[in-house]
Amino acid sequence: MSIELPIAQEPDVRIIDGWTLHEFAEATSTSSLAANLPPWTAVRADVQTAGRGRTGRFWVSDENGLWLSAVLPTPGAPACWSLLPLAAGWAVLGVIRGLGLPQARLRWPNDILVGRQKLAGILVDRFSADTAVVGIGLNVSNRPDLVDPALRGETACLADLLPEAPPFTSLLVRVLAALTREHQRLESGDARGLCRDLNHAWLHRQVHVTLAGGLGAINGQLEGIDPAGALLLRDAAGDRRTFPAHRVDMLREIFPA
Ligand code: BTN
Protein backbone atom coordinates (compact mmCIF):
# COMPACT_ATOMS: atom_id res chain seq x y z
CA MET A 1 0.00 0.00 0.00
CA SER A 2 1.59 3.35 -0.97
CA ILE A 3 0.78 6.90 -0.06
CA GLU A 4 0.65 9.58 -2.74
CA LEU A 5 3.14 12.20 -1.52
CA PRO A 6 2.48 15.52 -3.24
CA ILE A 7 5.30 17.23 -1.46
CA ALA A 8 8.64 15.81 -0.30
CA GLN A 9 7.65 14.99 3.24
CA GLU A 10 7.15 11.97 5.42
CA PRO A 11 4.12 11.90 7.68
CA ASP A 12 4.32 11.62 11.43
CA VAL A 13 2.53 8.40 12.31
CA ARG A 14 0.79 7.64 15.59
CA ILE A 15 -1.80 5.17 16.80
CA ILE A 16 -5.05 6.41 18.32
CA ASP A 17 -7.56 3.84 19.59
CA GLY A 18 -7.09 1.33 16.80
CA TRP A 19 -6.57 4.00 14.13
CA THR A 20 -3.23 4.64 12.40
CA LEU A 21 -2.99 8.38 11.93
CA HIS A 22 -0.68 9.94 9.30
CA GLU A 23 -0.04 13.62 9.92
CA PHE A 24 1.37 16.03 7.33
CA ALA A 25 2.33 19.67 7.55
CA GLU A 26 0.76 20.18 4.11
CA ALA A 27 -1.30 18.09 1.72
CA THR A 28 -3.23 18.69 -1.46
CA SER A 29 -6.28 16.95 0.00
CA THR A 30 -6.17 14.52 2.93
CA SER A 31 -8.94 12.52 1.24
CA SER A 32 -6.89 12.12 -1.94
CA LEU A 33 -3.95 10.97 0.17
CA ALA A 34 -6.18 8.48 1.96
CA ALA A 35 -7.63 7.03 -1.26
CA ASN A 36 -5.35 3.96 -1.34
CA LEU A 37 -4.87 3.47 2.37
CA PRO A 38 -6.31 0.51 4.30
CA PRO A 39 -9.30 0.74 6.65
CA TRP A 40 -8.73 2.27 10.06
CA THR A 41 -6.10 4.62 8.68
CA ALA A 42 -6.60 8.37 8.91
CA VAL A 43 -4.77 11.30 7.37
CA ARG A 44 -4.55 14.78 8.87
CA ALA A 45 -2.82 17.85 7.49
CA ASP A 46 -2.16 21.26 9.01
CA VAL A 47 -3.15 22.87 5.70
CA GLN A 48 -4.60 21.62 2.43
CA THR A 49 -3.74 23.30 -0.84
CA ALA A 50 -6.56 21.64 -2.82
CA GLY A 51 -9.18 20.83 -0.20
CA ARG A 52 -12.30 19.37 -1.76
CA GLY A 53 -15.87 20.11 -0.72
CA ARG A 54 -19.12 18.49 -1.79
CA THR A 55 -20.39 19.03 -5.35
CA GLY A 56 -16.88 19.81 -6.59
CA ARG A 57 -16.42 22.97 -4.52
CA PHE A 58 -13.05 24.14 -3.21
CA TRP A 59 -12.72 23.80 0.56
CA VAL A 60 -10.64 26.49 2.26
CA SER A 61 -8.24 24.66 4.59
CA ASP A 62 -6.07 27.20 6.34
CA GLU A 63 -3.87 26.62 9.37
CA ASN A 64 -5.53 25.76 12.71
CA GLY A 65 -8.52 23.94 11.24
CA LEU A 66 -9.03 20.19 11.54
CA TRP A 67 -8.60 18.60 8.11
CA LEU A 68 -8.99 14.88 8.54
CA SER A 69 -9.82 11.90 6.33
CA ALA A 70 -10.64 8.52 7.83
CA VAL A 71 -10.78 5.26 5.89
CA LEU A 72 -13.61 2.96 6.97
CA PRO A 73 -14.28 -0.59 5.76
CA THR A 74 -17.52 -1.04 3.81
CA PRO A 75 -17.94 -4.81 3.38
CA GLY A 76 -20.98 -6.36 1.74
CA ALA A 77 -23.60 -4.70 -0.41
CA PRO A 78 -23.06 -0.99 -1.16
CA ALA A 79 -26.67 -0.32 -0.11
CA CYS A 80 -25.73 -1.21 3.50
CA TRP A 81 -23.53 1.86 3.50
CA SER A 82 -25.80 4.40 1.83
CA LEU A 83 -26.32 6.09 5.19
CA LEU A 84 -22.61 6.44 5.91
CA PRO A 85 -22.41 10.15 4.93
CA LEU A 86 -25.31 10.86 7.29
CA ALA A 87 -23.79 8.67 10.02
CA ALA A 88 -20.53 10.62 9.73
CA GLY A 89 -22.44 13.88 10.18
CA TRP A 90 -24.20 12.50 13.22
CA ALA A 91 -20.87 11.35 14.67
CA VAL A 92 -19.23 14.76 14.26
CA LEU A 93 -22.32 16.56 15.55
CA GLY A 94 -22.16 14.45 18.72
CA VAL A 95 -18.53 15.44 19.25
CA ILE A 96 -19.26 19.13 18.77
CA ARG A 97 -22.28 19.09 21.07
CA GLY A 98 -20.19 17.19 23.63
CA LEU A 99 -17.64 20.02 23.63
CA GLY A 100 -20.34 22.25 25.10
CA LEU A 101 -22.20 23.41 21.99
CA PRO A 102 -25.67 21.88 22.32
CA GLN A 103 -26.94 24.44 19.81
CA ALA A 104 -24.88 22.90 16.98
CA ARG A 105 -27.18 21.38 14.38
CA LEU A 106 -27.23 19.42 11.15
CA ARG A 107 -28.20 20.66 7.73
CA TRP A 108 -28.94 17.90 5.26
CA PRO A 109 -27.02 15.86 4.44
CA ASN A 110 -24.15 16.41 6.89
CA ASP A 111 -23.21 20.06 7.27
CA ILE A 112 -22.81 21.18 10.85
CA LEU A 113 -23.98 24.67 11.61
CA VAL A 114 -24.34 27.02 14.51
CA GLY A 115 -27.18 29.34 13.67
CA ARG A 116 -26.74 29.97 9.96
CA GLN A 117 -22.96 29.62 9.97
CA LYS A 118 -21.09 26.52 8.88
CA LEU A 119 -18.77 25.00 11.46
CA ALA A 120 -17.94 21.70 9.74
CA GLY A 121 -18.45 19.91 6.45
CA ILE A 122 -18.10 16.28 5.46
CA LEU A 123 -17.29 14.68 2.14
CA VAL A 124 -17.49 10.90 1.72
CA ASP A 125 -15.55 9.44 -1.21
CA ARG A 126 -15.83 5.86 -2.43
CA PHE A 127 -12.51 5.28 -4.18
CA SER A 128 -13.03 1.51 -3.90
CA ALA A 129 -15.93 -0.83 -3.19
CA ASP A 130 -14.39 -2.04 0.06
CA THR A 131 -13.71 1.26 1.76
CA ALA A 132 -15.10 4.74 2.19
CA VAL A 133 -13.00 7.81 2.91
CA VAL A 134 -14.77 10.15 5.30
CA GLY A 135 -13.27 13.62 4.92
CA ILE A 136 -14.02 16.02 7.74
CA GLY A 137 -13.32 19.74 7.72
CA LEU A 138 -13.87 21.45 11.08
CA ASN A 139 -13.11 25.11 11.69
CA VAL A 140 -11.21 25.26 14.99
CA SER A 141 -9.37 28.59 15.27
CA ASN A 142 -8.66 29.16 11.58
CA ARG A 143 -10.16 32.06 9.61
CA PRO A 144 -11.46 30.84 6.26
CA ASP A 145 -13.08 34.24 5.67
CA LEU A 146 -9.65 35.87 5.59
CA VAL A 147 -8.64 33.46 2.81
CA ASP A 148 -11.88 33.85 0.88
CA PRO A 149 -13.80 37.07 1.65
CA ALA A 150 -16.93 35.51 0.10
CA LEU A 151 -17.10 33.37 3.25
CA ARG A 152 -17.47 36.41 5.53
CA GLY A 153 -20.42 35.77 7.87
CA GLU A 154 -20.88 32.27 6.45
CA THR A 155 -18.54 30.26 8.70
CA ALA A 156 -18.15 29.64 12.41
CA CYS A 157 -15.18 28.31 14.35
CA LEU A 158 -14.87 26.53 17.71
CA ALA A 159 -12.53 29.16 19.15
CA ASP A 160 -15.24 31.83 18.85
CA LEU A 161 -17.91 29.63 20.39
CA LEU A 162 -16.07 28.06 23.33
CA PRO A 163 -14.03 29.63 26.15
CA GLU A 164 -10.99 28.14 24.41
CA ALA A 165 -10.38 25.95 21.36
CA PRO A 166 -10.01 22.28 22.34
CA PRO A 167 -6.57 20.72 21.80
CA PHE A 168 -6.21 18.97 18.45
CA THR A 169 -5.38 15.59 19.97
CA SER A 170 -8.54 15.61 22.05
CA LEU A 171 -10.57 16.49 18.94
CA LEU A 172 -8.94 13.72 16.95
CA VAL A 173 -9.57 11.14 19.67
CA ARG A 174 -13.22 12.15 19.97
CA VAL A 175 -13.90 12.30 16.23
CA LEU A 176 -12.24 8.96 15.46
CA ALA A 177 -14.06 7.26 18.36
CA ALA A 178 -17.40 8.68 17.22
CA LEU A 179 -16.79 7.48 13.65
CA THR A 180 -15.93 4.02 14.97
CA ARG A 181 -19.18 3.96 16.98
CA GLU A 182 -21.42 5.03 14.11
CA HIS A 183 -19.66 2.62 11.76
CA GLN A 184 -20.38 -0.21 14.23
CA ARG A 185 -24.03 0.83 14.38
CA LEU A 186 -24.40 0.60 10.58
CA GLU A 187 -22.40 -2.62 10.42
CA SER A 188 -24.72 -4.18 12.98
CA GLY A 189 -27.63 -3.36 10.65
CA ASP A 190 -29.18 -0.66 12.84
CA ALA A 191 -29.83 1.86 10.07
CA ARG A 192 -33.26 2.49 11.60
CA GLY A 193 -31.70 3.63 14.87
CA LEU A 194 -29.57 6.15 13.01
CA CYS A 195 -32.59 7.28 11.00
CA ARG A 196 -34.59 7.76 14.18
CA ASP A 197 -31.83 9.85 15.75
CA LEU A 198 -31.46 11.98 12.64
CA ASN A 199 -35.17 12.51 12.10
CA HIS A 200 -35.43 13.62 15.69
CA ALA A 201 -32.54 16.06 15.19
CA TRP A 202 -33.47 17.76 11.88
CA LEU A 203 -35.14 21.10 12.14
CA HIS A 204 -38.20 20.72 9.99
CA ARG A 205 -37.78 23.90 8.06
CA GLN A 206 -38.62 25.20 4.65
CA VAL A 207 -35.94 24.33 2.14
CA HIS A 208 -35.10 24.90 -1.50
CA VAL A 209 -33.76 21.77 -3.18
CA THR A 210 -31.86 21.91 -6.47
CA LEU A 211 -32.07 18.59 -8.29
CA ALA A 212 -29.04 17.01 -9.94
CA GLY A 213 -28.69 16.85 -13.72
CA GLY A 214 -30.48 20.15 -14.33
CA LEU A 215 -33.82 18.60 -13.38
CA GLY A 216 -35.06 21.77 -11.73
CA ALA A 217 -35.72 22.76 -8.14
CA ILE A 218 -38.43 22.41 -5.55
CA ASN A 219 -39.41 24.18 -2.33
CA GLY A 220 -40.86 22.22 0.54
CA GLN A 221 -40.79 21.41 4.21
CA LEU A 222 -37.98 19.05 5.22
CA GLU A 223 -39.47 15.97 6.87
CA GLY A 224 -36.28 13.96 7.31
CA ILE A 225 -34.91 10.87 5.63
CA ASP A 226 -36.20 7.38 4.92
CA PRO A 227 -34.24 4.23 5.92
CA ALA A 228 -32.34 4.33 2.60
CA GLY A 229 -31.18 7.88 3.28
CA ALA A 230 -33.49 9.52 0.72
CA LEU A 231 -34.65 13.04 1.49
CA LEU A 232 -38.32 13.47 2.42
CA LEU A 233 -40.05 16.74 1.57
CA ARG A 234 -43.63 17.94 1.96
CA ASP A 235 -44.29 20.06 -1.14
CA ALA A 236 -46.52 23.13 -1.44
CA ALA A 237 -49.49 20.95 -2.43
CA GLY A 238 -49.05 18.93 0.79
CA ASP A 239 -47.73 15.84 -1.01
CA ARG A 240 -44.79 13.93 0.37
CA ARG A 241 -41.89 13.71 -2.09
CA THR A 242 -38.90 11.37 -1.83
CA PHE A 243 -35.51 12.24 -3.35
CA PRO A 244 -32.62 9.74 -3.27
CA ALA A 245 -29.48 11.57 -2.15
CA HIS A 246 -27.79 11.26 -5.57
CA ARG A 247 -30.69 13.16 -7.15
CA VAL A 248 -30.11 16.20 -4.94
CA ASP A 249 -27.46 18.71 -5.92
CA MET A 250 -27.96 21.23 -3.14
CA LEU A 251 -30.29 22.03 -0.28
CA ARG A 252 -30.67 25.60 0.91
CA GLU A 253 -32.64 26.58 3.98
CA ILE A 254 -35.27 29.28 3.53
CA PHE A 255 -35.40 31.81 6.33
CA PRO A 256 -38.37 34.11 6.83
CA ALA A 257 -37.58 37.63 5.58
C1 BTN B 1 -18.39 20.20 2.33
O1 BTN B 1 -18.45 20.66 1.17
O2 BTN B 1 -19.13 20.63 3.21
C2 BTN B 1 -17.43 19.07 2.65
C3 BTN B 1 -16.09 19.60 3.05
C4 BTN B 1 -15.11 18.49 3.38
C5 BTN B 1 -13.72 19.03 3.66
C6 BTN B 1 -12.81 17.96 4.18
S1 BTN B 1 -11.30 18.62 4.84
C7 BTN B 1 -10.64 17.03 4.96
C8 BTN B 1 -11.05 16.30 3.69
N1 BTN B 1 -10.14 16.58 2.62
C9 BTN B 1 -10.72 17.23 1.61
O3 BTN B 1 -10.16 17.58 0.55
N2 BTN B 1 -12.00 17.44 1.90
C10 BTN B 1 -12.36 16.90 3.18
Side-chain angles (χ1 to χ4, degrees):
M1 209 61 75
S2 68
I3 299 185
E4 175 200 336
L5 286 173
I7 291 158
Q9 56 170 306
E10 287 293 325
D12 288 334
V13 179
R14 51 182 170 141
I15 306 294
I16 295 182
D17 294 340
W19 287 86
T20 302
L21 176 67
H22 297 243
E23 294 185 290
F24 293 87
E26 183 175 302
T28 47
S29 154
T30 53
S31 291
S32 303
L33 289 186
N36 298 314
L37 293 179
W40 310 115
T41 308
V43 178
R44 188 190 75 75
D46 293 342
V47 292
Q48 297 185 116
T49 54
R52 295 188 288 109
R54 290 199 351 271
T55 62
R57 283 182 301 238
F58 179 75
W59 180 262
V60 174
S61 316
D62 50 334
E63 205 162 353
N64 297 319
L66 181 70
W67 321 126
L68 176 73
S69 297
V71 187
L72 287 166
T74 53
C80 303
W81 300 101
S82 58
L83 290 183
L84 189 61
L86 298 164
W90 181 247
V92 177
L93 180 71
V95 171
I96 290 170
R97 286 183 169 170
L99 293 171
L101 291 173
Q103 73 275 36
R105 66 184 183 91
L106 275 178
R107 179 177 62 194
W108 188 92
N110 52 20
D111 290 337
I112 293 165
L113 287 88
V114 170
R116 291 163 71 159
Q117 296 175 322
K118 188 154 160 174
L119 182 59
I122 294 167
L123 170 72
V124 177
D125 286 299
R126 300 299 306 267
F127 296 107
S128 84
D130 304 331
T131 57
V133 176
V134 177
I136 297 165
L138 168 61
N139 295 320
V140 181
S141 55
N142 55 310
R143 292 294 305 273
D145 54 322
L146 296 184
V147 179
D148 178 359
L151 294 175
R152 199 164 298 146
E154 301 288 323
T155 60
C157 75
L158 290 179
D160 289 341
L161 296 164
L162 293 168
E164 58 184 328
F168 263 73
T169 296
S170 131
L171 277 178
L172 283 165
V173 169
R174 288 169 188 244
V175 167
L176 292 173
L179 284 179
T180 304
R181 262 196 314 277
E182 288 306 324
H183 179 270
Q184 275 165 358
R185 170 148 76 160
L186 285 185
E187 194 169 39
S188 73
D190 188 15
R192 283 187 184 278
L194 172 65
C195 241
R196 212 177 29 247
D197 285 346
L198 287 168
N199 284 339
H200 188 68
W202 301 122
L203 296 182
H204 290 204
R205 26 172 117 237
Q206 283 294 118
V207 294
H208 177 82
V209 169
T210 310
L211 299 176
L215 289 176
I218 176 173
N219 284 359
Q221 167 130 348
L222 177 68
E223 296 216 320
I225 52 162
D226 73 9
L231 185 67
L232 304 174
L233 281 194
R234 183 75 57 187
D235 70 15
D239 294 326
R240 182 181 253 198
R241 310 277 301 270
T242 303
F243 298 97
H246 69 271
R247 287 194 51 211
V248 178
D249 219 13
M250 205 175 76
L251 176 145
R252 195 166 48 72
E253 296 174 329
I254 300 174
F255 292 91

